[in-house]
Amino acid sequence: MDDNIKSDITRENEASEKVLEGNMSQADEALNGAFADTDNDDVTDKDLRKHTENDSGDRNSSEDKINDRSKAEKTDDKETKSSKKPLNKKILIIAGVIAAVLLAFGIRYLINRNDTKVILGQYKGLEYSYVEVTVTDAEVEEKIKSIVDAKTTYKKLEDRNGTKTKNGDIVNCTYKANYEGRLVEEGTGNFSIGTGEFVEFENAITDKIIGETITVVAVIPKDYKGIKNLENIAGREINFEVKLNYVSEKNVPEVNDEFVKNVTDGKCTEAAAFEDYIRQELLDTKNEAKEAQIIKDLTTQIIRNSTFKNIDKMVDEYYDTMYQTYESGAKHFELSMEDYVQQFYSLNVDEFKKKLRETMVELVKEQLVLKEIVKVEKLEISPEKYDEYMAKYLQEYDYDDKEAFIEYYGRDSVEESMLYDYAIEFVIKNAKGNAR
């Protein structure tokens, strides 16, 4: 594929993901590896399986093909910064799209329209509830385990060819999973015998000769999350066709200074400080989610309190642009639109269109009320506020050079993002929070 086309599609679909991230609960998981942010690859691996430990050198499922392609794209993006992070992403719907989604219109498209109107309702004195966030020792341990697991490698044991599998073996298998005569998943991964997580499957591949192909009929445990796409049919009987490729030796990296420095991109350099670093990372993530929920609650109240006129045309235009972006994504993965939305969102096309239109309605309304708050309150970005937001953006988007950041995102987009940030800040400052 032409590199320029690939870059455009990647950027547009990254924006598409952000549009629906607050409204489609499966979006993050479905698009992880396809259009996810690239900054924390070393410390985050959502594709990690508890039981099926994928061998990156020998995967062939449709899911893995997507992930393999996207990893190459991620490498390109890191080198060229071709895939933008949406500015102001924390405002959930609008923030995830304000500078990156509406590529065909530009940031000032809405502001320059005169045929839309909002009668702003109450936006000061609102109330919201929140939960104080904490991070447990167990969460820190689980996170570190996931990082170590993501860096764990597997080596084929040549001397086990032709031998029988036994308890404690890690068996590399190529499998096809069928439910009611329909293929629901296929791939290659490492399965550990004796974990007790998927007893029927583990028992079925025990005492079998490496190299043979067997049929396994097993009921998916209700709490089993080892193979993606089988979680939704937990508790039901699945027919597996399994080829036992080889026995693997698991090589778990030592959590030393070098490992820590590598997985944190140099942000933490000592193993002794790793737990504290991870704890703070988890706390920051939870606080970001908390802030995002507060913002969503408040903007939802403002929208409910306000009246909108003549927004249908704008919604249609935004919808058409976004739908075309998703069509580009489907084409990129050589999928029909039906297969694309089913695979990534577990929706049929009609359901997807309905959800996308609802999201565009909310986008337009949020953009209108925030723009109106800026106007009514005469909000302006002072030099001090500009420096404050710019420092935050440079840190968040991993830029050292302010001018390079402005050149890449565009001065108008950056300044508009600051205004929307300021409007949200104003709303929160004039609201009352209640801890739950």
Side-chain angles (χ1 to χ4, degrees), residues 49-68:
R49 306 291 182 257
K50 287 185 177 180
H51 183 63
T52 308
E53 297 159 316
N54 286 332
D55 180 351
S56 61
D58 192 19
R59 293 179 298 177
N60 62 4
S61 71
S62 58
E63 169 200 348
D64 294 332
K65 288 176 183 176
I66 289 174
N67 287 338
D68 287 342

Side-chain angles (χ1 to χ4, degrees), residues 87-101:
L87 287 173
N88 208 5
K89 61 184 179 181
K90 69 184 180 185
I91 305 181
L92 217 57
I93 296 176
I94 189 171
V97 296
I98 195 168
V101 172

Side-chain angles (χ1 to χ4, degrees), residues 205-221:
I205 65 172
T206 302
D207 201 33
K208 299 297 188 296
I209 297 175
I210 293 298
E212 71 176 314
T213 298
I214 63 174
T215 297
V216 178
V217 179
V219 175
I220 303 296

Side-chain angles (χ1 to χ4, degrees), residues 20-33:
L20 296 174
E21 68 179 2
N23 297 290
M24 293 185 178
S25 60
Q26 300 178 37
D28 283 342
E29 179 65 23
L31 290 182
N32 176 58

Side-chain angles (χ1 to χ4, degrees), residues 50-52 191-192 195-203 216-240:
K50 287 185 177 180
H51 183 63
T52 308
F191 291 80
S192 299
T195 65
E197 293 180 0
F198 194 176
V199 176
E200 285 186 286
F201 189 90
E202 294 171 27
N203 289 342
V216 178
V217 179
V219 175
I220 303 296
K222 290 187 177 181
D223 59 349
Y224 181 67
K225 297 181 180 180
I227 304 177
K228 192 175 180 181
N229 295 335
L230 299 190
E231 299 171 21
N232 295 332
I233 49 176
R236 301 178 186 178
E237 192 173 81
I238 305 297
N239 187 295
F240 292 90

